[in-house]
């Protein structure tokens, strides 16, 4: 599910990041995190109908770059929710927050507001399929 504010905190430290040259290896990727990162960090405007074609091309380019270096990717995505419903209140709060953000986006030109388009996850999955990237959706 993610931790609100964690990425901002990590980015503020700066010394945690190290560049590495991946070649001829296997890589397990958090698909939900990567999908969000690729959408947010490519300057797409969530108000413009999702910019799905552009997002699709970015995802393809990302995996093409990995493939060109001999990196075999395995993407893991979040799936169903815990049957005990122990995160139900968190899910409800996040859904309510998305509704509020959606309303604010429709009434404001504030560039700081962001809501990932609903179909972006499906676009991400289609790009994985089209590139033959192996992926799994967790069932718990």
């Amino acid at each position: 599910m993610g931790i609100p504010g964690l990425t901002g905190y990590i980015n503020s430290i700066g010394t945690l990041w190290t560049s590495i040259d991946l070649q001829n290896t296997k890589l397990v990727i958090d698909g939900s995190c990567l999908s969000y990162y690729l959408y947010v960090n490519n300057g797409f405007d969530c108000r413009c109908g999702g910019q799905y074609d552009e997002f699709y091309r970015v995802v393809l380019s990302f995996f093409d770059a990995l493939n060109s270096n001999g990196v075999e990717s395995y993407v893991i995505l979040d799936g169903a929710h815990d049957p005990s419903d122990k995160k139900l209140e968190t899910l409800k709060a996040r859904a309510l927050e998305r509704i509020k953000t959606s309303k604010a986006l429709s009434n404001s030109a504030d560039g700081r507001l962001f809501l990932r388009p609903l179909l972006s996850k499906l676009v991400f999955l289609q790009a994985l399929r089209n590139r033959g990237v192996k992926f799994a959706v967790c069932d718990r």
Side-chain angles (χ1 to χ4, degrees), residues 92-111:
K92 286 181 189 178
R94 288 184 181 171
L96 184 58
E97 190 60 35
R98 281 192 300 275
I99 291 168
K100 289 177 182 177
T101 302
S102 178
K103 183 176 185 212
L105 277 168
S106 69
N107 295 324
S108 170
D110 186 350

Side-chain angles (χ1 to χ4, degrees), residues 33-53:
C33 182
L34 176 63
S35 176
Y36 184 87
Y37 177 85
L38 290 176
Y39 195 93
V40 170
N41 289 299
N42 279 283
F44 298 131
D45 184 351
C46 60
R47 300 170 205 264
C48 294
Q51 293 182 285
Y52 296 118
D53 185 55

